Amino acid sequence: MIKRNSGFENLTAGYLFPEINRRRREYVAAHPDAKIISLGIGNTTEPLPQYISKALSDYSLGLATPEGYSGYGDEQGLTQLRKKIAEVFYKDMATEDEVFISDGAKCDIARIQTLFGSNVKIAVQDPAYPVYVDGSVIVGAAGKNNGTGYEGVTYMPCTPENNFFPDLSKIEKDSLIYFCSPNNPTGAVSTKEELKKLVDFANANGCIIIFDAAYREFIRDPELPKTIFEIEGARTCAIEINSYSKPAGFTGVRLGWSVVPKDLKYADGSSVHADWNRVMTTLFNGASNIVQAGGLACLDPEGLAAMKSVIDYYLENAALIKKTFEGENFKKAGAQVYFTGNSPYIWVKFPGKKSWEVFDTILDKCNVVTTPGSGFGPAGESFIRVSAFGHHESVKEACERLSKLEF
């Protein structure tokens, strides 16, 4: 019989978000009258802006006509869309043929691991989005869990004590570095000075950065970088992954992109860009033509304005959640609140308590779902992540309940 991929054997627990859903279902089964409000998973809740929705609809209806029908498109993405992304987000930083359209950032992060195989060393921010580590485990790059983490992974703690920017000296040479800014789950945004340190370290030590910028459009501080390619030297050491999910509400529509510079090389001098093109044309068959039409509309002036309005809506929620967790009842519990105003996530520490313990308390007493920080890595223990994705009315109701919580 064919043996099982040992990477699956090495996974130590169920994926974080299905586990949250399982606990939620069990709670609802035991308390059928409970009115649950979710501030947990980072799923968008507001309707698509009409300008963007109309573009999707018009293209879809056009498929019913001889003039509007389209079959297979280029696997790398619609040329117009690649060009527009380069112009709007990477002007003078990347060219259109360095932009690859996909079905989302998470999918790209998983596929991109095929470029480096199972022998590459991995370094991740801790805490971090689970797919960085779990995906590495599945492809065999992370090894077994030794009780404190996976043996093939260098964990870089990002904590209040280091202002959520890690000690880079912990990273081994020739490592693949997963880095996210604005960070999921902490919400921290790295400065240009910090990212310059990261880029310089990567170039000096033969590392490649996988830079997850899925929350870039939440950045409101003009001094903070929205892309790694704002940093000198990034084109020789970084790949950027991005998504329409959060800014455009495409979590279920599915559209993203990656930027792979032609300057990026492997140790033998061969082209990472060429291999990524092969991956995208061999293991992927292109994003939906309908969805790409919507992606084009997002980058029109009307689309950009509409996306900004929706993001402002979520940031208003975030400010209310932050204020709630800074209330007297949480102060008595020792809660420490971290929120920059440039992210949809509020990161809250409860010293001396386990993350799942806090999760269960809030679910049981407030009927509000959060996300336990320990699910994002060892440094997330004692924290919870609170998401600002929700209808204003639901978020207000959740905050009202939370304001009355006593531990």
Side-chain angles (χ1 to χ4, degrees):
M1 294 292 290
I2 296 173
K3 292 183 178 179
R4 183 190 189 195
N5 174 359
S6 61
F8 287 99
E9 298 173 15
N10 293 335
L11 287 170
T12 56
Y15 192 67
L16 172 62
F17 301 111
E19 174 63 17
I20 291 172
N21 288 333
R22 183 189 68 79
R23 294 192 182 209
R24 173 178 172 164
R25 287 193 301 271
E26 287 184 354
Y27 184 85
V28 170
H31 306 84
D33 295 329
K35 295 180 180 178
I36 304 295
I37 298 174
S38 179
L39 301 180
I41 190 169
N43 192 6
T44 52
T45 58
E46 299 314 295
L48 295 181
Q50 189 171 11
Y51 182 82
I52 297 168
S53 179
K54 185 176 185 302
L56 292 166
S57 176
D58 288 349
Y59 193 96
S60 181
L61 291 172
L63 291 172
T65 68
E67 301 79 19
Y69 178 75
S70 60
Y72 288 126
D74 292 337
E75 295 95 337
Q76 304 93 331
L78 185 67
T79 299
Q80 292 170 270
L81 182 56
R82 300 174 78 189
K83 182 178 181 180
K84 206 162 188 178
I85 288 174
E87 289 175 348
V88 173
F89 295 137
Y90 304 99
K91 190 172 179 60
D92 300 324
M93 291 180 278
T95 58
E96 62 184 87
D97 57 347
E98 293 175 325
V99 176
F100 295 82
I101 310 302
S102 74
D103 52 348
K106 184 177 181 180
C107 306
D108 271 344
I109 289 167
R111 273 190 294 264
I112 214 158
Q113 291 169 322
T114 62
L115 292 175
F116 307 104
S118 61
N119 294 322
V120 68
K121 291 169 282 191
I122 305 294
V124 296
Q125 289 169 292
D126 177 21
Y129 187 48
V131 73
Y132 306 154
V133 172
D134 286 4
S136 300
V137 175
I138 290 171
V139 300
K144 296 181 179 180
N145 193 297
N146 57 21
T148 59
Y150 289 95
E151 58 192 18
V153 177
T154 297
Y155 294 88
M156 304 180 291
C158 295
T159 65
E161 289 72 28
N162 61 15
N163 198 32
F164 299 103
F165 187 82
D167 178 1
L168 301 178
S169 67
K170 294 178 177 291
I171 304 172
E172 296 184 54
K173 288 189 174 184
D174 307 322
S175 288
L176 196 62
I177 305 171
Y178 288 94
F179 203 92
C180 181
S181 179
N183 183 268
N184 180 12
T186 68
V189 186
S190 297
T191 64
K192 288 182 180 179
E193 292 74 21
E194 288 170 336
L195 291 185
K196 186 68 167 74
K197 291 179 183 178
L198 176 64
V199 165
D200 287 349
F201 178 90
N203 278 320
N205 290 276
C207 299
I208 291 179
I209 303 161
I210 307 300
F211 190 79
D212 185 348
Y215 297 93
R216 61 164 280 162
E217 293 307 300
F218 284 84
I219 296 175
R220 289 293 180 261
D221 185 340
E223 297 300 313
L224 294 173
K226 289 188 172 185
T227 168
I228 191 70
F229 297 116
E230 291 182 39
I231 310 304
E232 183 182 0
R235 286 183 54 83
T236 55
C237 68
I239 294 170
E240 182 163 298
I241 306 293
N242 214 315
S243 172
Y244 278 89
S245 286
K246 301 310 189 290
F250 277 24
T251 48
V253 179
R254 308 307 305 153
L255 190 67
W257 72 88
S258 58
V259 180
V260 184
K262 294 177 182 176
D263 300 346
L264 186 62
K265 308 293 183 184
Y266 296 106
D268 64 358
S270 58
S271 170
V272 176
H273 178 275
D275 279 1
W276 185 235
N277 184 70
R278 181 62 186 268
V279 168
M280 293 298 281
T281 56
T282 304
L283 304 183
F284 184 58
N285 214 36
S288 160
N289 295 340
I290 299 170
V291 176
Q292 291 188 77
L296 272 168
C298 289
L299 303 185
D300 289 339
E302 299 92 333
L304 290 168
M307 288 195 298
K308 181 180 183 302
S309 178
V310 174
I311 294 169
D312 286 344
Y313 179 99
Y314 292 130
L315 288 174
E316 289 176 20
N317 286 346
L320 178 59
I321 295 168
K322 172 181 180 285
K323 183 178 179 181
T324 300
F325 277 94
E326 290 176 336
E328 287 301 318
N329 59 326
F330 285 103
K331 286 181 181 178
K332 289 178 183 178
Q336 300 165 9
V337 184
Y338 301 93
F339 176 64
T340 64
N342 299 288
S343 163
Y345 299 125
I346 299 86
W347 189 236
V348 188
K349 184 175 184 178
F350 292 82
K353 295 184 181 295
K354 296 289 187 181
S355 296
W356 281 107
E357 174 190 351
V358 178
F359 170 91
D360 287 335
T361 297
I362 292 176
L363 177 60
D364 183 52
K365 294 186 176 182
C366 301
N367 292 170
V368 172
V369 175
T370 58
T371 306
S374 59
F376 295 100
E381 186 61 271
S382 296
F383 288 86
I384 60 168
R385 189 194 75 176
V386 190
S387 169
F389 293 111
H391 303 308
H392 277 334
E393 296 75 15
S394 297
V395 172
K396 288 177 182 176
E397 172 62 25
C399 288
E400 184 69 22
R401 298 179 192 176
L402 288 163
S403 67
K404 299 173 183 176
L405 175 64
E406 292 184 9
F407 284 86

